[in-house]
Amino acid sequence: MLSILRLTLQRLGLGVLVLFVVSLIIFLGVELLPGDLCQAIQGQSATESTVAACRKDLGLDQSAPTRYVHWLQGIVKGDFGKSLANGRQISELISVRLQNTFFLAIVAAVIAVPLSLTLGILAALYRNSWFDRTINVFTLSSISFPEFFVAYILILVFSVKLGWFPSLSDVSPDTPFFERLYKVFLPALTLTLVVMAHMMRMTRAAIINLMASPYIEMAKFKGLSRGRIILHHALPNAWAPIVNVVALNLAYLIVGVVIVEVVFVYPGLGQLIVDSVQKRDIPVVQACSIIFAATYVVLNLTADILSIATNPRLLHPR
Amino acid sequence: MNTNISPKVQPLDASQIPAARPSKFKLALRELWRAPLSAKFGILVVCGYIFIAIFAPWLTHYGESEIVGGPFEEWGKKFLLGTDNLGRDMFTRLLYGARNTIGIAFVTTCLAFLIGGISGILAAILGGWPDQIMSRVVDILMAIPSLIFSLLLLTIFGTSIPVLVIIIAVLDSTRVFRLARAVSLNVVVMDYVEAARLRGEGLAWITLREVLPNIMPPLVAEFGLRFCFVFLTIAALSFLGLGIQPPTADWGSMVRDNATLISYGDITPLLPAGAIALLTVGVNFIVDWFLHKTSGLKDGQ
């Protein structure tokens, strides 16, 4: 038990370190700008005095380390500074959108994870059957499809032809829960299709890998059924790789969400970052990047820790 | 890949070669003939795309960004697949899109392999602190999701094709680095590498002549997968309006520009997206078969 705790603490420490370095990169990236932020905003029309005023306004007259410390302190308190485009508080812009994005990602995960685990186990169970082959071709293709292709096909079928679901997911903070669920169904389905393939293949591979080990053969000789062998003998040992790949794919959802939100005009963080990149609204892009990156790091960390925690071998150190 | 490491053998004239042993080319053809249907399909698709990319200007009589009609005209004789939102011929742009989108993705992937491959092999050969430094830098770069990272960098440097290529190549080279380093580590401990070192060969020789030929198969397979990934990333960025900029024809931005047609049940905007999907499926099929061949995996593994 002690070794698990020690490993977990080690990973947590490493995670904090990574988060710190990531924030440093996101901050320093902007320092790479030729000239500085103010010259970049004002472009051709910049004069000495307007640039100086702008620098003072944004606090650029201070040294970089001081600004970094201030920026980081602000983020910890939930204050990301002001948007360059409209001067509004970034935290205000972000809060509702962040909830929307998490809502979408969670709905997608709730559909995708159980579905892909079940299908993966079934594919391992009926290995090399037509079912397995169909799933194999299907997953290989869905990995190769761009997200927006999947999204537009779903819109064409479910929204335009059948008229079952709306093609625009315009939710507002006071949309009731079930209507919200109805409106995010298509984006969530798109994300599900995109992340499912990988999880399913890994589940299948992890179980098939284990099926060759001697203790499974022993279980077969005892005369147990295939289903029982997989569920009670193979699965417990397969948890580590499966849990790992699930967490990694949830991290991937964070990236996929950007494109899907743009297709469905869903008011989330992804759309905000794309809009801000177009306007070159650097503070907003920085704020969104750090949120996305932090979520990604935390999910990867969870993957790491869970695969340590679910590894039965670590429970009984020699 | 083995031709350049053949030892100094007396040249044989044709009569001395046993007739029963087929040439490399024939062996490759035979292997191809026995390939599964999916791999053949993949090869056919990739060859078709390369053909279109090279011969695009001869396959159509409209210009790449020439406005030839009204916006959103129907499919017909004059415009095979109709026109786009500005009245440019859709079919023409689809052909030129093959050239631009695939070309840029290919260049980016090559650059990523150049950076990642060489630094990966070097890290494995040198070991010690150079390895530590490179590996930690890569770890940190990989801690940020690459799409988000490229969005951030595009904001800073602005959107242009060279910037796009460099950003994506550098971000993607991290994965190549990991693979190249991992497979090279198995090779650098071999006796023949040690022998080359003792012979006093330079770093370049060991990298290119001793290690590289022996890690080619996984790298080639990875090249296919990375190409797909880069291709999809560039398409996604262009779709978001942040990748390849107009008036250059590109599949990602073509989907975006004509997306409104979908709400009228018209499938034209899906064609460029489908073209992207078809190519990546094709490449994946080939890679799948290649991995199967080189790793000697049995069915169902």
Side-chain angles (χ1 to χ4, degrees), chain B residues 39-77:
Chain B
K40 280 181 192 154
F41 169 76
I43 292 170
L44 198 72
V45 167
V46 170
C47 290
Y49 274 76
I50 293 174
F51 177 80
I52 291 174
I54 294 174
F55 295 105
W58 289 276
L59 295 174
T60 169
H61 48 271
Y62 298 114
E64 180 182 347
S65 45
E66 185 187 354
I67 295 174
V68 290
F72 296 137
E73 284 194 35
E74 303 253 313
W75 293 19
K77 266 231 165 74

Side-chain angles (χ1 to χ4, degrees), chain B residues 116-283:
Chain B
I118 290 180
S119 53
I121 299 174
L122 281 182
I125 296 176
L126 295 173
W129 61 266
D131 180 25
Q132 281 297 322
I133 291 177
M134 284 196 264
S135 297
R136 292 297 85 76
V137 168
V138 164
D139 281 352
I140 284 166
L141 286 182
M142 285 175 85
I144 307 178
S146 60
L147 185 70
I148 303 299
F149 207 170
S150 38
L151 285 179
L152 179 72
L153 292 177
L154 283 172
T155 325
I156 295 169
F157 295 110
T159 43
S160 70
I161 289 175
V163 170
L164 186 74
V165 168
I166 293 172
I167 288 177
I168 295 180
V170 169
L171 292 183
D172 215 54
S173 65
T174 54
R175 325 242 152 196
V176 184
F177 171 87
R178 282 245 174 124
L179 180 81
R181 181 176 170 277
V183 286
S184 306
L185 277 178
N186 295 326
V187 175
V188 290
V189 293
M190 295 285 176
D191 289 341
Y192 55 80
V193 179
E194 198 54 45
R197 271 192 190 140
L198 291 175
R199 257 195 338 259
E201 302 287 5
L203 204 53
W205 175 284
I206 296 180
T207 307
L208 298 176
R209 303 295 296 266
E210 307 289 342
V211 178
L212 189 62
N214 287 296
I215 61 166
M216 264 331 243
L219 278 192
V220 170
E222 183 71 5
F223 189 88
L225 294 180
R226 283 292 108 205
F227 171 78
C228 287
F229 191 80
V230 166
F231 187 59
L232 288 175
T233 311
I234 291 181
L237 284 174
S238 303
F239 173 75
L240 296 175
L242 305 167
I244 301 168
Q245 297 294 314
T248 313
D250 155 78
W251 290 338
S253 49
M254 282 168 74
V255 178
R256 169 199 176 86
D257 291 343
N258 303 300
T260 40
L261 281 182
I262 290 178
S263 39
Y264 302 104
D266 188 340
I267 61 155
T268 319
L270 288 179
L271 293 176
I276 296 169
L278 185 63
L279 179 63
T280 40
V281 170
V283 174

Side-chain angles (χ1 to χ4, degrees), chain A residues 2-316:
Chain A
L2 215 70
S3 61
I4 290 190
L5 209 63
R6 207 186 60 223
L7 275 172
T8 312
L9 283 178
Q10 255 174 18
R11 291 301 149 97
L12 274 178
L14 207 64
V16 172
L17 190 71
V18 169
L19 272 179
F20 174 72
V21 177
V22 164
S23 75
L24 203 61
I25 290 179
I26 290 176
F27 179 80
L28 285 181
V30 179
E31 302 291 311
L32 288 177
L33 264 180
D36 67 10
L37 200 53
C38 284
Q39 282 164 345
I41 304 165
Q42 301 185 339
Q44 297 291 326
S45 63
T47 62
E48 283 286 317
S49 58
T50 54
V51 169
C54 160
R55 276 191 188 137
K56 184 141 200 194
D57 193 33
L58 292 176
L60 284 183
D61 43 357
Q62 288 157 320
S63 72
T66 330
R67 273 183 290 132
Y68 174 68
V69 171
H70 278 301
W71 184 65
L72 209 58
Q73 277 173 346
I75 289 177
V76 173
K77 280 184 257 161
D79 173 21
F80 290 91
K82 279 183 195 157
S83 153
L84 294 181
N86 49 22
R88 283 176 59 191
Q89 283 292 326
I90 296 177
S91 49
E92 228 174 89
L93 286 172
I94 285 179
S95 60
V96 178
R97 284 169 177 269
L98 189 62
Q99 286 169 20
N100 285 345
T101 294
F102 275 132
F103 181 73
L104 176 58
I106 288 170
V107 173
V110 166
I111 305 175
V113 174
L115 196 63
S116 44
L117 290 190
T118 318
L119 287 177
I121 292 174
L122 284 178
L125 191 58
Y126 301 108
R127 189 173 149 196
N128 289 340
S129 66
W130 63 267
F131 173 74
D132 184 26
R133 279 170 210 277
T134 323
I135 279 196
N136 217 8
V137 171
F138 168 76
T139 50
L140 204 58
S141 343
S142 83
I143 291 175
S144 333
F145 285 3
E147 284 98 343
F148 53 85
F149 186 48
V150 179
Y152 280 127
I153 290 180
L154 291 181
I155 289 185
L156 188 70
V157 174
F158 289 105
S159 164
V160 179
K161 299 279 184 211
L162 297 173
W164 290 354
F165 294 98
S167 64
L168 295 183
S169 315
D170 48 342
V171 296
S172 62
D174 43 281
T175 313
F177 180 75
F178 283 103
E179 194 189 334
R180 190 179 273 256
L181 213 53
Y182 170 69
K183 281 188 166 171
V184 302
F185 182 74
L186 280 188
L189 191 61
T190 313
L191 285 172
T192 303
L193 288 175
V194 172
V195 295
M196 220 173 70
H198 193 200
M199 287 197 269
M200 209 154 73
R201 278 176 87 107
M202 277 305 285
T203 310
R204 176 180 176 277
I207 288 180
I208 285 180
N209 229 346
L210 280 170
M211 293 305 270
S213 39
Y215 79 96
I216 297 284
E217 206 163 350
M218 182 63 213
K220 267 185 212 157
F221 290 153
K222 279 198 300 193
L224 298 182
S225 69
R226 265 181 89 77
R228 198 179 156 79
I229 291 176
I230 288 190
L231 288 179
H232 290 264
H233 294 254
L235 203 55
N237 265 318
W239 273 130
I242 293 175
V243 163
N244 202 0
V245 84
V246 165
L248 288 183
N249 273 287
L250 294 187
Y252 182 76
L253 270 182
I254 300 299
V255 181
V257 103
V258 175
I259 290 155
V260 172
E261 279 180 8
V262 172
V263 175
F264 290 94
V265 201
Y266 183 73
L269 210 54
Q271 225 194 15
L272 181 68
I273 192 172
V274 171
D275 284 347
S276 310
V277 173
Q278 272 156 355
K279 290 186 216 146
R280 298 193 75 179
D281 192 344
I282 292 174
V284 181
V285 177
Q286 273 181 314
C288 294
S289 310
I290 202 149
I291 292 176
F292 275 123
T295 320
Y296 191 74
V297 170
V298 167
L299 281 171
N300 276 325
L301 193 68
T302 320
D304 247 15
I305 291 176
L306 280 180
S307 65
I308 293 173
T310 51
N311 186 347
R313 286 176 196 88
L314 287 177
L315 278 173
H316 308 285

